[in-house]
Amino acid sequence: MTADFPRQRQEQILEWLRTQGFATVEALASRLSVSTMTVHRDLDRLAKAGAVQKVHGGVELMVAKPATQPHIPTCSLCHAEVPARTTFMAQNAAGEKFHACCSHCGLLLLAENAHLISALARDFIYGRMVNVAQAIYVIESRVHLCCVPSVLCFTGREDADSFQRGFGGQVMTFDEARHYMSHHHSTHHE
Ligand SMILES: [Zn+2]
Ligand SMILES: [Zn+2]
């Protein structure tokens, strides 16, 4: 086919991309019977308009590409998606990161992997990450967000105590919580 006018060509390119999502510059040039230089010029114009994205060797329709989704890590232990509210993250000496869905799996992960040297968990009230070794845990409260028994992480003992008074469970230090978890070894995900 011949498309003599840039505008016509560009519309044709968009139409093909709508059905295919992706096309190489060469394929477009031969379908349009124009040089690859011309195709590049057309693509530059379309890219500037935000309609397409030039990629190595070709072009992609912008809308055909799903919006870049935030990568959701999965739990190293139970393979559930890691909920933002209960994120637990451990690191080995090489800086490699391991995620757990909540402090329940996190504490078990640490118990089973001695090479994990540091870990952070999300404070249940304030949402910031805290060093797990200094955190306080409320185990087996009525609040079940993830795994059972529920293990929630708090920065301070006062908050953990207040939470415990309202929602039950036991307040524990890191060592106590780790010990407790390795003896109630159920990795059950709700
Ligand atoms: Zn898990
Ligand atoms: Zn969990």
Side-chain angles (χ1 to χ4, degrees):
M1 85 150 271
T2 330
D4 295 324
F5 304 104
R7 173 135 208 126
Q8 211 178 317
R9 278 200 312 267
Q10 286 158 25
E11 259 158 36
Q12 183 63 70
I13 290 172
L14 283 179
E15 210 176 299
W16 286 332
L17 286 175
R18 268 182 218 118
T19 55
Q20 298 175 345
F22 174 87
T24 64
V25 171
E26 287 72 24
L28 290 173
S30 89
R31 284 179 88 167
L32 292 163
S33 309
V34 295
S35 70
T36 54
M37 284 273 284
T38 304
V39 170
H40 272 296
R41 262 201 304 276
D42 287 338
L43 295 183
D44 284 340
R45 203 154 299 155
L46 288 169
K48 214 176 255 176
V52 302
Q53 187 176 25
K54 288 180 88 172
V55 294
H56 184 73
V59 63
E60 230 170 26
L61 191 66
M62 281 309 256
V63 293
K65 213 175 154 189
T68 43
Q69 291 192 345
H71 172 69
I72 300 172
T74 52
C75 179
S76 303
L77 218 71
C78 73
H79 306 294
E81 274 189 6
V82 174
R85 288 189 73 179
T86 54
T87 305
F88 189 105
M89 210 171 66
Q91 218 171 7
N92 65 17
E96 209 181 335
K97 286 193 173 72
F98 300 84
H99 290 89
C101 55
C102 62
S103 295
H104 169 116
C105 280
L107 291 174
L108 289 176
L109 188 68
L110 293 184
E112 287 172 15
N113 298 278
H115 65 283
L116 296 176
I117 51 163
S118 69
L120 298 172
R122 197 171 301 283
D123 178 287
F124 184 64
I125 293 178
Y126 303 105
R128 56 175 176 246
M129 299 301 280
V130 296
N131 182 336
V132 299
Q134 285 152 20
I136 303 292
Y137 301 85
V138 176
I139 296 190
E140 290 196 279
S141 70
R142 290 204 308 278
V143 178
H144 292 172
L145 289 176
C146 202
C147 302
V148 178
S150 149
V151 181
L152 297 174
C153 172
F154 297 85
T155 312
R157 179 167 285 271
E158 233 172 280
D159 291 327
D161 284 340
S162 305
F163 183 87
Q164 189 274 334
R165 278 195 294 275
F167 295 97
Q170 300 178 55
V171 176
M172 297 189 192
T173 63
F174 173 66
D175 284 330
E176 289 163 351
R178 198 169 45 169
H179 181 82
Y180 182 92
M181 284 311 295
S182 16
H183 290 84
H184 293 69
H185 203 302
S186 73
T187 311
H188 161 65
H189 198 274
E190 283 206 325

